[in-house]
Amino acid sequence: MEKTKNNSMESKVTEFILLGLSHPPNLRTFLCLVFLVIYILTQLGNMLILLTVWADPQLHARPMYILLGVLSFLDMWLSSVIVPRIILNFTHASKAMSFAGCVAQLYSFHFLGSTQCFLYTLMAYDRYLAICRPLHYPVLMNGRLCTMLVAGAWVAGSIHGSIQATLTFRLPYCGPNQVDYFFCDIPAVLRLACADTTINELVTFVDIGVVAASCFLLILLSYANIVYAILQIRTADGRRKAFSTCGSHLTVVTVYYVPCIFIYLRPGSKSPLDGAVAVFYTVVTPLLNPLIYTLRNKEVKSALRKLVCLSKDSSDTRPAPSQLTSPERVPKGLSPEPPEGQSPLRGAPARSP
């Protein structure tokens, strides 16, 4: 998409105006409340997962649940990068965002999103080892290796976000500054550039396409081996348990990758559905992840019940002020029972029998 401007009329853009989601004016307050409730539930749900994994020794010692805790942490931050701005756009506050703020939002979104993409791949690899290589699992996937893989995912995500932000904002922005979107994302911002964006669109397509396609291919490969191994299980109960363990992860992967492919792997195209699809994987998916993992995972549900019961027991067994340790009260006129070998009369020796 080539754009040319008269040099004498060019002026550097210092802020962007986010137009937000299209909506009927009479639904402004309702939508604001809906997104506010979604944001609060997302934060509470993912925080509950984090606390559950941290509080249960059996969970935070297993790589599967370490990865689940990291996923919840990513969902909390991803939601915080996008949703508060959506809520703000439904109010009468200014829709302007500074140039630096737009850069930070684009970088943060692609950093967290790509890290999440790598994390889903690690979760699939973990399930592959647990089901296909159960005897070697403690050696092939221990806590130290899991921590190193998670750190690698964070580093790779940071590099990906830096590349996308640098390529997007190295272009001059001198014309209109109204972003027809609800956050600063690559396709919407590139439409405002005062230069040829063909290379950017190609690099974005290749970069995001390679990351998404390679991760998705590895996930499919892992689950192809998992399905084959599950079919070898002779008991129906064993097959059901194995499928149930993997079902939650497959559900999350599906609701994450399909919208991403729709948005980013169509270079230069614009669809009226882009906004709705983007809302789904930036707002709804972080809300669904805690529900999917808690409703389909018996171990997480059991740990949640333990956490709730523990909090109830600690509140019920708290001693009342009158029950706190204090000298035992003795009725007036009576003295405490004397120690052995001493007469009830103070100072008098006890009589020998």
Side-chain angles (χ1 to χ4, degrees), residues 40-245:
I40 293 173
L41 292 178
T42 300
Q43 299 300 309
L44 291 178
N46 285 287
M47 179 61 73
L48 186 60
I49 294 290
L50 277 175
L51 291 176
T52 303
V53 173
W54 175 80
D56 194 309
Q58 295 182 352
L59 295 187
H60 69 239
R62 296 174 58 183
M64 173 182 176
Y65 296 103
I66 294 175
L67 297 174
L68 178 58
V70 176
L71 177 64
S72 295
F73 183 78
L74 285 171
D75 281 334
M76 291 174 68
W77 279 102
L78 184 63
S79 178
S80 297
V81 167
I82 303 297
V83 182
R85 191 70 207 186
I86 298 177
I87 297 172
L88 188 65
N89 284 338
F90 285 122
T91 67
H92 295 286
S94 174
K95 297 184 178 182
M97 175 181 283
S98 67
F99 191 91
C102 192
V103 174
Q105 188 182 51
L106 188 144
Y107 165 77
S108 299
F109 173 73
H110 283 276
F111 162 47
L112 296 170
S114 57
T115 303
Q116 199 169 53
C117 185
F118 297 133
L119 189 68
Y120 286 140
T121 309
L122 293 180
M123 295 175 78
Y125 177 64
D126 173 76
R127 291 299 84 208
Y128 161 75
L129 292 178
I131 294 176
C132 300
R133 308 284 296 276
L135 298 180
H136 300 88
Y137 179 78
V139 177
L140 296 176
M141 181 61 81
N142 51 50
R144 182 180 178 184
L145 178 60
C146 181
T147 303
M148 293 175 62
L149 291 174
V150 169
W154 282 92
V155 171
S158 179
I159 293 173
H160 173 81
S162 300
I163 291 173
Q164 294 300 329
T166 302
L167 288 176
T168 301
F169 291 100
R170 71 177 180 84
L171 298 173
Y173 292 89
C174 52
N177 64 341
Q178 292 187 341
V179 179
D180 189 14
Y181 216 47
F182 59 93
F183 73 102
C184 288
D185 198 13
I186 297 172
V189 174
L190 284 182
R191 297 188 191 104
L192 305 179
C194 302
D196 186 7
T197 60
T198 304
I199 295 178
N200 287 72
E201 292 173 356
L202 180 61
V203 171
T204 299
F205 176 79
V206 173
D207 183 23
I208 296 179
V210 167
V211 170
S214 58
C215 291
F216 194 56
L217 184 62
L218 289 173
I219 292 172
L220 290 179
L221 186 62
S222 297
Y223 275 98
N225 286 277
I226 288 173
V227 170
Y228 177 78
I230 290 176
L231 294 177
Q232 305 303 312
I233 300 176
R234 296 183 178 181
T235 62
D237 185 64
R239 288 194 297 268
R240 182 189 57 77
K241 185 176 180 181
F243 274 119
S244 177
T245 303

Side-chain angles (χ1 to χ4, degrees), residues 268-318:
S269 62
K270 185 177 184 297
S271 170
L273 295 176
D274 285 354
V277 173
V279 165
F280 189 81
Y281 76 88
T282 58
V283 179
V284 180
T285 300
L287 172 67
L288 292 179
N289 282 349
L291 297 176
I292 292 171
Y293 279 105
T294 53
L295 293 178
R296 295 185 60 90
N297 192 301
K298 292 183 179 179
E299 291 177 315
V300 174
K301 288 191 289 186
S302 176
L304 275 172
R305 283 193 292 266
K306 290 179 183 178
L307 187 63
V308 173
C309 293
L310 183 63
S311 61
K312 285 184 178 180
D313 291 341
S314 61
S315 62
D316 292 341
T317 58
R318 186 176 299 170

